[in-house]
């Protein structure tokens, strides 16, 4: 027998006999050297223990959670509003557009406009004169000869500051010539457009120099009958009412706000906006030369490379408009942990003369090599806490997120990979939503209404953080079909750089699909893969431990996270709770296993009463389509299928049908399934209007029946299903898809129509396998 003794010292093997059948092997006694490998040593360095690899969805949720805690801490411990205010540095547009207002801006009394203003060039009149003229007109036998004339007693032009208020004549109908935008004098309450009038040239009154105008005969009747008080006049406060809010606290400033503030005379230089989060960008590595000083990069400097990360990230962060980036330069590995830590501590926390930063982004030095020291800098040298150190994605696996807390204040640190594409992609996926949340801040009053106002209570704080995270803005996303095959990575999901093109489904539908084209080779050092990219397509992991396929086939659809909004008219963007990154289940494990189980699929086919005749032929056809779309029989199999007849929709919900559908789903036939497709069958109808009617009406009844038995809805997955189905057949957009968990979250249920079924499954296939892995974890 052998006895082994082990200590945490540097081990040297030595064997000794202590008996006939026993030997002791002594491992040890020499202290471990201070340096693992000398510069001239050929021995490999000791590797640090790798951190667990987390899904991107979990990493993003962690970042948002820690950012939310930071904001709530400020409210709790600093005893001030989270929307810190600062005067705008300049009234210029470039300083205000995209900033967040820190105040409600109200229209002063009397509103806008502050005077009665003419909308047309024409004549201001009194409608009381028209009332008297109308009586005479109606008694006139020959209406073509009726003369509706006015004395022109004055003129007012737009911009006139002095208005003669004594322009009236008491004995005749009087009118005042006004131009568009001119002040309408008091006492006059309507404007007649100039094209409805004519000057009376034959009018001759030697006793007066007053001109007259008349209403042209063809317009007399309409003027008398249709001209009401305030016709063609903008009344005081009609555009913007007094005391109305034209810019709300927490609202992002757009060009229209500047126009409104200008109309109201609000000085832009005192407009209060939320402080931009301060973010520092640092590059690390002995091999780097400042790209701005190209003369330092000489042809004989082998092993040196220009630092592309800082120019890339500083400009990328600046384009977000939600932060104030600061260039922190380059630190080398030879600077040492203590020196780097001391410098960064001063940058983070500031001093009496300089203000600290809120977020630090460092690139390089975080992988598994001997010279990768940045994690030790942040943890050992600065007292940070690592929340994750590897992400299950390509590119960007070594990405590390750290928080550093001090006196109830928190700094957020993103240690990104050194390759520029990895750094850019991870900055987009993690740093951008973090900065968006920091810039927008949180509405304490609204959170208090949702969770309770006492944030010192641990459970209330936990609920408040959850509320903020779920409602945080993340990337806008679309579902796009790929224009060519793309080889899948066998180890990790990939965020593939793509360009997007929008194409109509057909010439008459008015509906569109997005098509995505790869930007080419995706190696993390190839910055050209970012050129012309519109977003990041989330491709699933391939192979038997992934989605089951080795290639994403042309025409298959996947979510794309946009670099910018499709349209500025889109509101506040996608919330985290509605995004494809939102985990379908709540889980507490730091590590989610990637073990991929075969999908066991149960199918419930819902037929309308008129479609009873299809029940014997549809199951096999639908089952084959579902299995084929999920990757074939090696990835999914049909455990069973059942058919349910949906009654004609009545005015009241049909409880008998709901009970029957629930019994089928929970019954023994579907019991072994971890995925249940509830398919509303409408295929085979020759009439498009008939197909649309069946899908819409039957789908409503089915979804109503399922509502009580779904544990938790997955709205983001449902949106993927709907977008995918409608990209195959526009009629599928009529169907309201539902995705959620049931049976105490042990199974996933998906409702869809058989219209567009293949694209519907293809759009959510990657997310579906991930969701099932969470259920099985």
């Amino acid at each position: 027998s052998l006895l082994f003794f082990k200590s945490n010292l540097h081990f040297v093997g030595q064997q000794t006999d202590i008996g006939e059948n026993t030997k002791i092997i002594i491992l040890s006694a020499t202290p471990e050297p201070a340096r693992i490998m000398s510069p001239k040593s050929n021995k490999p360095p000791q590797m640090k223990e790798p951190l667990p690899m987390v899904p991107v969805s979990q990493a993003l949720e962690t970042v948002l959670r820690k950012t939310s805690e930071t904001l709530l801490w400020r409210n709790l411990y600093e005893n001030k509003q989270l929307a810190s205010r600062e005067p705008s540095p300049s009234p210029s547009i470039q300083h205000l557009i995209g900033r967040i207002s820190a105040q409600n801006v109200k229209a002063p009394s009397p509103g806008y406009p502050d005077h009665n203003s003419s909308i047309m060039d024409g004549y201001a009149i009194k409608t009381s004169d028209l009332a008297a003229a109308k009586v005479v007109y109606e008694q006139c036998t020959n209406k073509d000869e009726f003369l509706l004339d006015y004395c022109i007693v004055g003129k007012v032009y737009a911009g006139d500051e002095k208005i003669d208020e004594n322009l009236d004549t008491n004995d005749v109908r009087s009118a005042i010539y006004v131009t568009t935008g001119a002040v309408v004098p008091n006492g006059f309450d309507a404007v007649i457009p100039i094209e409805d009038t004519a000057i009376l040239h034959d009018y001759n009154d030697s006793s007066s120099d007053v001109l007259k105008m008349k209403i042209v005969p063809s317009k007399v009747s309409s003027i008398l009958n249709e001209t009401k008080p305030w016709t063609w006049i903008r009344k005081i406060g009609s555009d913007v009412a007094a005391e109305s809010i034209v810019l709300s606290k927490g609202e992002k400033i757009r060009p229209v706000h500047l126009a409104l503030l200008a109309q109201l005379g609000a000085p832009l230089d005192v407009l209060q906006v939320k402080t931009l989060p301060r973010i520092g960008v640092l590059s690390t590595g002995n091999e780097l030369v400042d790209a701005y000083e190209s003369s330092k990069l000489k042809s004989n400097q082998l092993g040196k490379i220009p630092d592309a990360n800082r120019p890339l990230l500083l400009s990328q962060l600046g384009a977000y408009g939600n932060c104030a980036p600061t260039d922190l330069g380059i630190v080398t590995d030879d600077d040492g942990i203590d020196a780097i830590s001391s410098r960064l501590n001063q940058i983070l926390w500031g001093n009496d003369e300089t203000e600290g930063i809120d977020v630090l982004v460092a690139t390089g030095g975080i992988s598994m090599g001997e010279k990768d020291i940045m994690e030790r800098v942040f943890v050992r040298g600065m007292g940070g806490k690592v929340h994750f150190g590897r992400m299950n994605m390509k590119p960007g696996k070594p990405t590390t997120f750290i928080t550093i807390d001090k006196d109830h204040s928190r700094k957020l640190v993103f240690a990104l990979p050194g390759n520029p594409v990895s750094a850019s992609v991870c900055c987009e996926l993690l740093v951008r939503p973090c900065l968006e949340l920091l810039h927008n801040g949180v509405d304490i009053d609204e959170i208090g209404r949702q969770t309770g106002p006492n944030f010192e209570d641990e459970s209330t704080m936990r609920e408040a953080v959850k509320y903020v995270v779920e409602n945080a803005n993340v990337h806008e996303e679309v579902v796009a079909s790929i224009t060519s095959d793309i080889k899948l990575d066998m180890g990790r999901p990939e965020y593939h750089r793509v360009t997007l093109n929008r194409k109509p489904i057909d010439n008459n539908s008015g509906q569109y699909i997005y098509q995505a084209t790869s930007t080419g080779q995706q190696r993390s050092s190839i910055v050209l893969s970012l050129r012309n990219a519109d977003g990041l397509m989330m491709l699933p992991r391939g192979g038997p431990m992934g989605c089951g396929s080795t290639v994403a086939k042309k025409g298959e659809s996947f979510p794309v996270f946009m670099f910018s909004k499709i349209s500025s008219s889109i509101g506040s963007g996608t919330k985290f709770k509605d995004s494809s990154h939102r985990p379908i289940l709540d889980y507490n494990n730091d590590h989610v296993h990637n073990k991929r189980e075969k999908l066991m699929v149960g199918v419930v086919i819902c037929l309308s009463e008129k479609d009873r005749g299809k029940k014997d032929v549809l199951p096999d056809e639908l089952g084959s389509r579902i299995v084929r779309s999920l990757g074939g029989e090696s990835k999914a199999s049909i455990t069973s299928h059942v058919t349910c007849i949906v009654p004609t929709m009545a005015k009241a919900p049909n409880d008998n049908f709901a009970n029957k559908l629930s019994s089928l789903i929970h019954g023994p036939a579907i019991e072994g399934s971890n995925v249940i497709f509830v398919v509303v069958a409408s295929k085979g109808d020759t009439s498009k209007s008939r197909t649309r009617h069946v899908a819409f009406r039957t789908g409503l009844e089915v979804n109503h029946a399922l509502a009580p038995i779904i544990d938790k809805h997955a709205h983001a997955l449902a949106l993927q299903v709907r977008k995918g189905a409608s990209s195959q057949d526009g009629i599928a957009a009529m169907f309201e898809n539902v995705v959620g968990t049931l049976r105490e979250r042990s199974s996933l249920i998906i409702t869809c129509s058989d219209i567009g079924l293949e694209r519907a499954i293809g759009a959510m296939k990657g997310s579906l396998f991930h969701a099932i892995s969470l259920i099985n974890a």
Side-chain angles (χ1 to χ4, degrees):
S1 62
L2 295 177
L3 298 179
F4 292 90
F5 294 90
K6 181 179 179 182
S7 76
N8 57 1
L9 300 175
H10 181 60
F11 301 140
V12 178
Q14 184 178 357
Q15 177 177 305
T16 215
D17 291 332
I18 61 172
E20 183 179 0
N21 297 317
T22 304
K23 291 183 180 179
I24 241 184
I25 296 179
I26 302 172
L27 302 174
S28 220
T30 354
E32 182 178 357
R35 185 176 180 87
I36 296 173
M37 185 177 73
S38 66
K40 296 181 179 180
S41 171
N42 292 322
K43 295 180 181 179
Q46 180 179 337
M47 302 295 288
K48 68 179 182 179
E49 184 70 20
L51 292 167
M53 190 156 56
V54 301
V56 176
S57 56
Q58 184 180 343
L60 178 56
E61 187 172 29
T62 299
V63 168
L64 294 175
R65 185 171 67 252
K66 295 304 172 183
T67 306
S68 303
E69 291 173 359
T70 303
L71 292 169
L72 293 168
W73 272 11
R74 291 181 188 173
N75 179 75
L76 186 60
Y77 294 108
E78 295 181 15
N79 194 28
K80 66 180 183 179
Q81 292 184 343
L82 297 182
S84 56
R85 300 179 176 182
E86 63 172 12
S88 173
S90 167
S92 60
I93 291 176
Q94 59 265 33
H95 284 97
L96 284 176
I97 297 300
R99 298 294 294 272
I100 303 295
S101 174
Q103 62 184 143
N104 288 328
V105 179
K106 296 182 178 181
S109 183
Y112 183 83
D114 60 0
H115 59 269
N116 295 326
S117 174
S118 176
I119 297 174
M120 304 282 285
D121 288 349
Y123 294 93
I125 65 164
K126 300 176 181 179
T127 54
S128 58
D129 290 339
L130 292 178
K134 184 177 180 181
V135 174
V136 178
Y137 177 77
E138 289 176 346
Q139 296 174 352
C140 183
T141 56
N142 188 357
K143 291 182 170 52
D144 292 338
E145 297 181 356
F146 181 82
L147 179 65
L148 182 57
D149 59 351
Y150 287 83
C151 289
I152 303 173
V153 297
K155 296 181 179 180
V156 181
Y157 299 101
D160 284 354
E161 296 184 5
K162 294 183 178 181
I163 308 299
D164 187 353
E165 298 293 344
N166 299 313
L167 297 176
D168 196 4
T169 57
N170 296 322
D171 53 344
V172 296
R173 290 188 293 267
S174 58
I176 299 173
Y177 176 75
V178 290
T179 61
T180 301
V183 174
V184 176
N186 290 334
F188 294 82
D189 62 353
V191 171
I192 297 175
I194 195 170
E195 54 266 31
D196 294 345
T197 67
I199 296 294
L200 284 172
H201 294 286
D202 56 351
Y203 174 74
N204 185 13
D205 184 353
S206 58
S207 63
S208 173
D209 58 358
V210 175
L211 290 175
K212 275 194 170 184
M213 69 85 177
K214 68 174 182 177
I215 308 300
V216 296
S218 61
K219 294 293 184 177
V220 169
S221 177
S222 62
I223 294 295
L224 290 174
N225 290 289
E226 298 174 10
T227 302
K228 309 296 180 186
W230 310 115
T231 298
W232 296 117
I233 291 177
R234 287 190 301 155
K235 291 178 64 177
I236 293 173
S238 61
D239 287 6
V240 183
E243 297 301 310
S244 62
I245 296 176
V246 296
L247 177 61
S248 299
K249 180 180 177 181
E251 189 173 3
K252 185 171 288 188
I253 298 173
R254 296 186 288 130
V256 64
H257 295 118
L258 302 187
L260 286 169
L261 295 173
Q263 283 186 334
L264 299 174
L268 298 181
D269 56 349
V270 297
L271 181 65
Q272 293 178 328
V273 294
K274 291 189 177 182
T275 306
L276 289 173
R278 298 173 296 276
I279 180 168
V281 178
L282 176 77
S283 291
T284 70
N286 288 344
E287 74 278 16
L288 297 179
V289 174
D290 197 321
Y292 300 119
E293 301 178 15
S294 57
S295 60
K296 291 185 177 181
L297 190 62
K298 300 176 182 178
S299 58
N300 62 351
Q301 288 184 296
L302 293 177
K304 298 292 185 180
I305 59 172
D307 177 18
N309 287 349
R310 280 184 303 127
L312 175 60
L313 294 183
L314 287 166
S315 56
Q316 185 173 327
L317 291 165
Y320 293 159
N322 56 16
C323 63
T326 299
D327 186 353
L328 301 181
I330 300 172
V331 297
T332 68
D333 308 324
D334 295 337
D335 290 340
I337 294 174
D338 293 339
I340 297 174
S341 301
S342 177
R343 181 192 171 200
L344 292 183
N345 267 322
Q346 184 173 344
I347 291 171
L348 276 182
W349 302 105
N351 52 40
D352 294 339
E353 298 180 357
T354 60
E355 200 169 13
I357 61 176
D358 303 295
V359 181
L360 173 64
V361 172
T363 60
I366 54 156
S367 192
M368 303 291 290
E370 178 191 7
K371 291 282 191 175
D372 292 321
I373 64 172
M374 292 309 296
E375 184 182 320
R376 282 176 281 167
V377 167
F378 295 128
V379 176
R380 193 184 79 188
M382 303 176 67
K385 178 181 178 180
V386 176
H387 296 283
F388 59 81
R390 295 197 305 161
M391 287 201 301
N392 187 25
M393 65 171 290
K394 180 184 178 182
K397 183 174 73 171
T399 298
T400 302
F401 176 61
I402 300 161
T403 56
I404 304 175
D405 298 340
K406 177 182 177 182
D407 299 331
H408 299 300
S409 293
R410 169 172 289 168
K411 305 298 183 180
L412 307 172
V413 178
F414 295 89
L416 306 182
N419 275 319
V421 176
S422 300
S424 176
V425 168
C426 294
C427 181
E428 183 72 25
L429 291 175
L430 299 180
V431 182
R432 182 178 182 178
C434 165
L435 294 171
E436 193 73 11
L437 182 53
L438 284 176
H439 187 207
N440 289 336
V442 292
D443 187 336
I444 290 298
D445 295 334
E446 176 61 25
I447 296 173
R449 286 189 290 270
Q450 298 291 332
T451 66
N454 183 19
F455 298 128
E456 292 186 5
D457 177 72
E458 185 176 344
S459 62
T460 302
M461 175 65 88
R462 188 163 50 248
E463 287 300 312
V465 169
K466 178 182 177 183
Y467 176 82
V468 175
V469 170
E470 289 184 342
N471 290 279
N473 288 334
V474 292
H475 302 82
E476 184 181 339
E477 57 186 77
V478 298
V479 173
S481 60
I482 52 178
T483 57
S484 61
D485 292 355
I486 298 177
K487 184 179 179 180
L488 298 176
D489 187 85
M490 297 295 105
R492 288 167 282 158
E494 181 180 13
Y495 286 77
H496 200 96
R497 279 74 74 199
V498 295
T499 59
L500 289 177
N501 185 31
R502 193 179 78 157
K503 288 193 172 183
I505 294 175
D506 56 53
N507 294 330
N508 301 316
S509 69
Q511 295 180 325
Y512 295 85
I513 60 171
Y514 284 95
Q515 292 183 329
T517 303
S518 172
T519 58
Q521 193 171 357
Q522 300 286 299
R523 193 167 63 238
S524 59
S525 61
I526 301 179
V527 180
L528 275 174
S529 68
L530 292 168
R531 187 186 182 198
N532 299 324
D534 297 309
L536 302 169
M537 173 170 275
M538 187 171 69
L539 295 175
R541 177 187 180 185
M545 297 297 288
C547 67
S549 300
T550 58
V551 175
K553 296 290 188 181
K554 176 182 177 181
E556 288 188 321
S557 298
F558 301 92
V560 177
F561 302 101
M562 305 293 292
F563 288 147
S564 60
K565 282 189 175 182
I566 300 173
S567 170
S568 60
S569 64
I570 295 177
S572 58
T574 303
K575 305 296 184 185
F576 179 60
K577 63 183 178 182
D578 300 321
S579 75
S580 296
H581 276 142
R582 173 65 170 149
I584 189 171
L585 298 176
D586 295 328
Y587 53 93
N588 298 316
N589 293 333
D590 290 332
H591 179 57
V592 177
H593 297 285
N594 287 318
K595 183 179 180 181
R596 183 69 68 231
E597 301 290 345
K598 183 175 181 178
L599 297 182
M600 309 304 292
V601 180
V603 182
V604 179
I605 303 169
C606 294
L607 295 169
S608 66
E609 290 181 332
K610 293 184 179 180
D611 293 330
R612 285 176 180 268
K614 298 179 185 176
K615 63 187 297 183
D616 295 329
V617 296
L618 276 175
D620 291 338
E621 176 204 344
L622 284 176
S624 298
R625 291 171 62 191
I626 290 171
V627 170
R628 199 163 51 242
S629 301
L630 288 171
E633 294 182 357
S634 64
K635 306 298 171 282
S637 62
I638 303 296
T639 58
S640 61
H641 51 70
V642 293
T643 303
C644 188
I645 303 300
V646 183
T648 303
M649 184 186 292
K651 291 183 179 180
N654 192 314
D655 292 334
N656 289 333
F657 168 67
N659 293 334
K660 182 179 179 182
L661 185 58
S662 177
S663 298
L664 285 173
I665 290 172
H666 289 91
I670 308 291
E671 186 176 8
S673 306
N674 56 7
V675 179
I676 302 170
F677 280 90
V678 179
V679 182
V680 175
S682 56
K683 207 75 172 175
D685 291 303
T686 56
S687 166
K688 273 196 172 183
S689 61
R690 158 74 177 153
T691 302
R692 185 181 296 112
H693 175 72
V694 169
F696 180 71
R697 179 184 61 78
T698 311
L700 284 179
E701 191 73 31
V702 169
N703 289 336
H704 173 79
L706 290 175
I709 66 172
I710 292 180
D711 298 325
K712 185 174 182 180
H713 285 270
H715 299 294
L717 278 178
L719 182 61
Q720 289 182 35
V721 173
R722 190 176 189 184
K723 286 180 177 179
S726 60
S727 71
Q728 181 175 335
D729 192 321
I731 294 177
M734 296 290 294
F735 191 87
E736 190 70 30
N737 302 95
V738 172
V739 180
T741 58
L742 73 167
R743 298 172 176 165
E744 298 181 348
R745 302 187 183 181
S746 64
S747 301
L748 198 67
I749 189 167
I750 302 152
T751 68
C752 56
S753 169
D754 59 353
I755 306 170
L757 181 64
E758 286 79 6
R759 286 276 181 92
I761 295 175
M764 53 89 71
K765 181 169 63 174
S767 301
L768 174 61
F769 280 107
H770 176 63
I772 295 303
S773 73
L774 295 180
I775 289 176
N776 295 335

